[in-house]
Amino acid sequence: MTATKHASSWSTPPRDALRVGHGFHLRDVDPESTPGFDAGKKHAERELAAGVPTLSELQERLFAASTQGAPDAVLLVLQAMDTAGKGGIVRHVVGAVDPQGVRHYAFKKPTPEELAHDFLWRVESQVPAGGQIGVFDRSHYEDVLIGRVRQLADAAEIERRYGAINDFEEGLVGRGVRVVKVMLQISADEQKARLSERLDRPDKYWKYNPGDVDERELWPAYQEAYQTVFERTSTALAPWHVVPANHKWYARIAVQRLLLDALEGIDPQWPAADYDIAVERARLAAT
Amino acid sequence: MTATKHASSWSTPPRDALRVGHGFHLRDVDPESTPGFDAGKKHAERELAAGVPTLSELQERLFAASTQGAPDAVLLVLQAMDTAGKGGIVRHVVGAVDPQGVRHYAFKKPTPEELAHDFLWRVESQVPAGGQIGVFDRSHYEDVLIGRVRQLADAAEIERRYGAINDFEEGLVGRGVRVVKVMLQISADEQKARLSERLDRPDKYWKYNPGDVDERELWPAYQEAYQTVFERTSTALAPWHVVPANHKWYARIAVQRLLLDALEGIDPQWPAADYDIAVERARLAAT
C-alpha cells in the first residue's frame, strides 16, 4: 500500500494486551494503566496522527472493494459507563476517515415499536453494509447491561440474550463484518470528576443528565453486569477488548490500533478495472 | 463563541459572489475563476484550516441546541457533473466536523420501489433531523437533470417537479432546515483530464465507469438542464450557488464558507441547564 508504515510505539498490540480471555476480571483492570504503551501522552498524540493516513487509505480501499461486491465491513461496538469517552473516540479516531465510508449509529432508549420486537430487531437494520465502517455508540449490549441492572426483562430472557448475541455476531462475521468490541473502562473517581466538570461549564451543561447520577449509584451492579457480558460473549470470533480510559490519549490510540488491525486483517485491494481500459481511453479521447 | 474569528481573505463572500440571481447564465461562469478570493492556493489552504475550529464548534452547538428541542439543521445539496469534486467536498470540508453530527446520503439510481413512489418520497426520509448537518450527494435535482436529459419522465411531469421542489424546500426552511444548494462547475476539458487520470491509475480504476463517457457526450444537454434548474429553483429561501471548481482548493473554501454562513445565520446557543445545578452538584458529591 502507498501509506507508509510508521514505527509504532506499542510493545504489545492492544489486540493482545486488552483482549478479554479466560480468567479475565474487570476489577483487575487499572483504568489509569496504559497496557502495551509506555511512551506517554506526547508519543501517543504522534501515534494517533501517524495512524490517520493508513486508516484513511484502508477505509478507501475497503469502500472501493465493495463497489465490486466485496462484502467486507467493520463494526466497532462501543460500550462504557457515562463520560468514559465514546464521543471522543468517534470524533478523534473515526472522524479521521471519510464520512462517506462511516455509518455511525447511537442507540437510545428503545421506542415502543422497537420494544414490540426482539431486542436485535433494531440492531440488524443498523449493521454496516459492505465497504462501510459502522460504529455502534452503545449497542445490543445495553439489553444485557441496563436490561439486567434495571430488570427491564426477566432473568430467563436476559439469559437467552447472551446466546442470541453470540449467534448474531457469528452471523455478522460469517457475512464479512469484522466485529471490534470495545469497553472503555474509567474509574468511579474519574467519572465523578468528569460529571462535575459538566456542571461547571455552560458549554457542557447539555451533556449532563440527572439520570447519570442515578446510573452512577448502580456502579457496582453495572461492573458485575459487564463482567458477565465478558464471560458470556467474548468469543473467538468476536472478542471483547477492555480499554483503560482514564487517559483519553491512551484510549484513542488503542481503539485506532484495533481498527487498523481489523482493516489490515481484511487487507482490501483496489479492484481491477471491470471494463477494457484501452477501449475506454479511446472513447474518452473521441469526446 | 470560543473559536476565534480569523481574518478572512475573501473580498466578496461566496453567498454574494456565487449566488444565482436574475439574469444568471451558466455559460458566463468561468470554471477556472475564483470569485471573491484573489489570494491563491496557499492562502486557501490556510483559510480552510482556519475555518475548521469554527465549523466544528458551530456544529457542536447546533447539535447541543437540538437536545433541548431546537429544530435547526443544515442541508447541503451537492450537484455536479462527474469528477467535479463532490467527494472531495465531503471528505475535506464536511469531514472536518464530528461524524456524530453529520448525515451523509448518496442518491443512486432509484430502485423499483422508489420509482413506484413520487420522486420526493425517498428524499423526504433522508432530510436531516434537528441538530444535524445533512449532505445530499446528488439529490432530488437528478430527477430534473438526468430525468430531463434522458427523458426518464414525460415533459409535463418534469415541469411539475420544479414547482414540487420549490414547495418541498420551502417546507424544509419552514421547519428550520437551512438549505445550501451548491453546483460545482468544471470545464469539459478539466473533466476529460480527470477521467483520463482515473484510467491511468490502478487506485482510481474503481472510480471510473464507462457510463461516465455516455453522460459526458450529453454535456451541452446537461448544461441546459442545469440552467433551467437555476432559473426555476433558485429561490429567495433556497438559492443556488454555482462554484467554479477547476481549482479544488477554491471549491472547498467556498463551500466551507457557505456552511459557516448557514450556521452563523442559525447562531446556535449552548442550551441552559434544564436541571438545578446546585442540586445536581450535591447529588453528585454524595456518591
Side-chain angles (χ1 to χ4, degrees), chain A residues 208 214 216 280 283 287, chain B residues 208 214 216 280 283 287:
Chain A
Y208 181 91
D214 304 333
R216 176 173 166 76
E280 293 303 319
R283 287 183 67 218
T287 61
Chain B
Y208 181 91
D214 303 333
R216 175 173 167 75
E280 293 303 320
R283 287 183 67 218
T287 62

Side-chain angles (χ1 to χ4, degrees), chain B residues 94-159:
Chain B
V94 180
V97 309
D98 192 338
Q100 292 172 83
V102 173
R103 186 186 172 100
H104 171 267
Y105 190 78
F107 286 91
K108 309 284 182 195
K109 195 178 155 186
T111 63
E113 191 191 10
E114 289 169 349
L115 285 173
H117 289 84
D118 181 65
F119 77 107
L120 289 173
W121 177 74
R122 66 174 187 158
V123 180
E124 180 65 58
S125 64
Q126 299 301 335
V127 167
Q132 291 181 326
I133 297 177
V135 180
F136 282 2
D137 192 337
R138 305 188 187 275
S139 67
H140 43 299
Y141 285 98
E142 290 297 325
D143 297 287
V144 287
L145 288 164
I146 192 169
R148 180 184 165 115
V149 171
R150 296 245 174 223
Q151 298 176 317
L152 304 178
D154 64 36
E157 167 62 10
I158 298 285
E159 267 307 302

Side-chain angles (χ1 to χ4, degrees), chain B residues 9-239:
Chain B
S9 301
W10 290 99
S11 55
T12 311
R15 68 173 175 275
D16 298 325
L18 306 179
R19 185 184 179 121
V20 171
H22 290 297
F24 170 91
H25 207 293
L26 187 53
R27 69 173 165 251
D28 300 332
V29 174
D30 176 3
E32 287 285 335
S33 66
T34 60
F37 194 88
D38 309 316
K41 184 173 179 180
K42 209 165 228 173
H43 278 83
E45 283 165 356
R46 238 176 276 159
E47 179 87 15
L48 189 69
V52 167
T54 314
L55 190 62
S56 189
E57 178 173 333
L58 284 165
Q59 178 274 321
E60 195 181 352
R61 282 176 183 253
L62 184 76
F63 186 79
S66 77
T67 64
Q68 284 192 15
D72 305 286
V74 173
L75 173 60
L76 174 64
V77 174
L78 288 174
Q79 284 291 155
M81 298 297 285
D82 287 322
T83 77
K86 286 191 280 75
I89 297 288
V90 174
R91 184 182 277 258
H92 298 283
V93 180
V94 180
V97 309
D98 192 338
Q100 292 172 83
V102 173
R103 186 186 172 100
H104 171 267
Y105 190 78
F107 286 91
K108 309 284 182 195
K109 195 178 155 186
T111 63
E113 191 191 10
E114 289 169 349
L115 285 173
H117 289 84
D118 181 65
F119 77 107
L120 289 173
W121 177 74
R122 66 174 187 158
V123 180
E124 180 65 58
S125 64
Q126 299 301 335
V127 167
Q132 291 181 326
I133 297 177
V135 180
F136 282 2
D137 192 337
R138 305 188 187 275
S139 67
H140 43 299
Y141 285 98
E142 290 297 325
D143 297 287
V144 287
L145 288 164
I146 192 169
R148 180 184 165 115
V149 171
R150 296 245 174 223
Q151 298 176 317
L152 304 178
D154 64 36
E157 167 62 10
I158 298 285
E159 267 307 302
R160 183 190 71 82
R161 289 178 182 173
Y162 299 112
I165 286 173
N166 288 341
D167 291 347
F168 169 64
E169 293 179 356
E170 192 184 325
L172 293 184
V173 174
R175 61 204 223 216
V177 183
R178 300 238 168 181
V179 183
V180 180
K181 299 193 292 198
V182 167
M183 189 267 191
L184 303 174
Q185 173 73 332
I186 53 169
S187 62
D189 283 351
E190 180 68 19
Q191 189 195 50
K192 194 172 192 169
R194 293 185 188 180
L195 284 173
S196 178
E197 195 196 359
R198 292 183 180 181
L199 290 169
D200 288 340
R201 289 178 48 179
D203 63 332
K204 299 269 189 191
Y205 288 166
W206 68 280
K207 290 190 170 186
Y208 181 91
N209 187 314
D212 298 346
V213 171
D214 303 333
E215 295 303 291
R216 175 173 167 75
E217 283 165 349
L218 297 168
W219 189 279
Y222 273 106
Q223 299 292 299
E224 227 181 278
Y226 270 110
Q227 176 65 28
T228 306
V229 159
F230 298 141
E231 286 168 7
R232 303 291 296 277
T233 68
S234 194
T235 60
L237 285 173

